[in-house]
Amino acid sequence: MKKIEAIIRKSKFSAVKKALHQEGINFFSYWDVTGLGNEKQGSVYRGVSYSTSDIQRRYLSIVVDDSFEQATIDAILTAGRTGEVGDGKIFVSDINEAYRIRTGEKGKETLN
């Protein structure tokens, strides 16, 4: 199993959610977050200068079976991309075990 964590633009959340659903990823958690990035580039919108680190973001946490790893990453990359600084990041890590609290099941069956 893999844990895929993504920090995306809040404005791209609906598109990413739709892309994930199309790939069969129907369960994930998300939070609204604020953070600072490495980019120092700013932007001007309607005559107002703003920092790209201040863009509203959404943090997604998704646990998938190994067979869904690349499809999940591709869905986020495609739907979340604007091509501008500040599109976000994706992090992938291994999950050693998962348990369903209600039944006590463990393993990848808990993801269904």
Side-chain angles (χ1 to χ4, degrees):
M1 289 179 285
K2 300 290 184 188
K3 182 176 185 179
I4 299 171
E5 299 169 291
I7 302 168
I8 62 170
R9 292 174 185 266
K10 194 172 181 181
S11 63
K12 298 300 281 182
F13 177 70
S14 291
V16 169
K17 180 172 72 169
K18 182 178 179 181
L20 289 171
H21 286 311
Q22 289 174 342
E23 293 297 331
I25 314 304
N26 296 311
F27 178 80
F28 57 89
S29 300
Y30 64 90
W31 301 266
D32 290 333
V33 296
T34 305
L36 298 173
N38 292 328
E39 296 292 339
K40 303 300 181 212
Q41 179 179 343
S43 296
V44 177
Y45 178 73
R46 295 187 178 183
V48 177
S49 178
Y50 67 96
S51 167
T52 54
S53 64
D54 294 336
I55 297 170
Q56 291 186 330
R57 308 208 188 272
R58 194 149 275 173
Y59 181 96
L60 286 70
S61 177
I62 309 162
V63 178
V64 296
D65 184 75
D66 290 345
S67 62
F68 281 91
E69 177 185 0
Q70 195 59 52
T72 304
I73 293 166
D74 291 343
I76 297 167
L77 285 172
T78 301
R81 179 179 290 132
T82 67
E84 301 293 324
V85 171
D87 277 349
K89 300 268 194 272
I90 298 174
F91 306 99
V92 180
S93 55
D94 291 321
I95 296 293
N96 294 327
E97 194 60 81
Y99 293 87
R100 185 182 313 245
I101 295 171
R102 179 177 52 88
T103 63
E105 292 173 280
K106 72 177 193 174
K108 64 182 179 180
E109 291 78 27
T110 64
L111 302 177
N112 301 326

